[in-house]
Amino acid sequence: AQKITQTQPGMFVQEKEAVTLDCTYDTSDQSYGLFWYKQPSSGEMIFLIYQGSYDEQNATEGRYSLNFQKARKSANLVISASQLGDSAMYFCAMREGTSGSARQLTFGSGTQLTVLP
Amino acid sequence: GAVVSQHPSWVICKSGTSVKIECRSLDFQATTMFWYRQFPKQSLMLMATSNEGSKATYEQGVEKDKFLINHASLTLSTLTVTSAHPEDSSFYICSARGQDRGGGNIQYFGAGTRLSVL
């Protein structure tokens, strides 16, 4: 089974609107971390936001927020007030185990977001 | 956030030559670094986990003699693609674990290296 599933290969959003990028995950670990990264066409992977499995509040970072629904095993990324510069590929990722573990990230297949002027 | 520097950003080489890619953590120490490979329009595929002072751990299907990894210090890991062939052409990206301002362990990525083997 896929550990990280991103069901939206492509999304379009109007500039200044909000958009939600879906991510569901599968793990039997009690302790895990969820991440979102942005990859523009230049290729660099830019860290956006992190949510720990024991964090009770949804993570927020500027215009980014993570809608964490533990029972549903979903960790959707919400981008508010979209900007043209938000156009990029977005990857959801999970690290199983505790924060201090050296385990690697598992990535979803990504969602290509295009912001329309 | 923490900064990871990767060099070179783009390399073109002839078939049969070797190419070295460097990954440096600029403002933090990284006992563990990761090397990924990414094909166009696809997700990142983990190649190996690089551990400072010890041998790298390779993922299944990745040839360790083909992709040599050296993690000689807490701030530097190198990936050498030996005797490169056109099928090795890809985007290679490294990452290192650092801490964000909230104290969480985050994997920060380098800018990637586009390798084209002629």
Side-chain angles (χ1 to χ4, degrees), chain A residues 100-115:
Chain A
S101 74
R103 294 166 78 170
Q104 72 275 12
L105 294 178
T106 302
F107 285 88
S109 56
T111 296
Q112 180 69 47
L113 176 67
T114 302
V115 181

Side-chain angles (χ1 to χ4, degrees), chain A residues 7-111:
Chain A
T7 57
Q8 307 154 316
M11 286 281 286
F12 291 88
V13 64
Q14 208 68 40
E15 192 178 9
K16 300 180 184 177
E17 298 287 313
V19 63
T20 298
L21 306 183
D22 294 342
C23 174
T24 57
Y25 60 92
D26 183 29
T27 181
S28 56
D29 282 9
Q30 294 299 309
S31 182
Y32 52 89
L34 297 157
F35 304 76
W36 277 93
Y37 289 86
K38 171 185 177 181
Q39 187 178 40
S41 56
S42 58
E44 59 188 312
M45 290 284 283
I46 302 167
F47 165 70
L48 296 178
I49 197 165
Y50 163 80
Q51 178 87 39
S53 59
Y54 294 118
D55 295 341
E56 294 185 351
Q57 291 194 336
N58 287 344
T60 60
E61 195 69 50
R63 293 185 300 110
Y64 305 108
S65 61
L66 200 152
N67 185 359
F68 181 45
Q69 297 191 35
K70 198 169 183 177
R72 295 185 179 182
K73 292 190 174 179
S74 74
N76 298 340
L77 175 71
V78 180
I79 305 175
S80 62
S82 298
Q83 302 172 356
L84 295 178
D86 293 334
S87 294
M89 180 72 88
Y90 288 81
F91 289 100
C92 178
M94 175 175 65
R95 181 194 59 231
E96 294 173 286
T98 60
S99 175
S101 74
R103 294 166 78 170
Q104 72 275 12
L105 294 178
T106 302
F107 285 88
S109 56
T111 296

Side-chain angles (χ1 to χ4, degrees), chain A residues 35 37 39 41-45 47 50 61 89 91 95 99-105 107-110 112, chain B residues 32 34 36 38 41-44 46 49 59 91 93 97 100-101 103-112 114:
Chain A
F35 304 76
Y37 289 86
Q39 187 178 40
S41 56
S42 58
E44 59 188 312
M45 290 284 283
F47 165 70
Y50 163 80
E61 195 69 50
M89 180 72 88
F91 289 100
R95 181 194 59 231
S99 175
S101 74
R103 294 166 78 170
Q104 72 275 12
L105 294 178
F107 285 88
S109 56
Q112 180 69 47
Chain B
T32 304
F34 303 91
Y36 294 84
Q38 186 180 29
K41 307 290 186 185
Q42 294 189 24
S43 188
L44 279 71
L46 180 68
T49 301
E59 295 300 300
F91 187 66
I93 190 165
R97 290 171 68 238
D100 69 353
R101 57 177 182 269
N105 280 320
I106 305 296
Q107 263 188 254
Y108 294 98
F109 285 80
R114 294 190 188 279

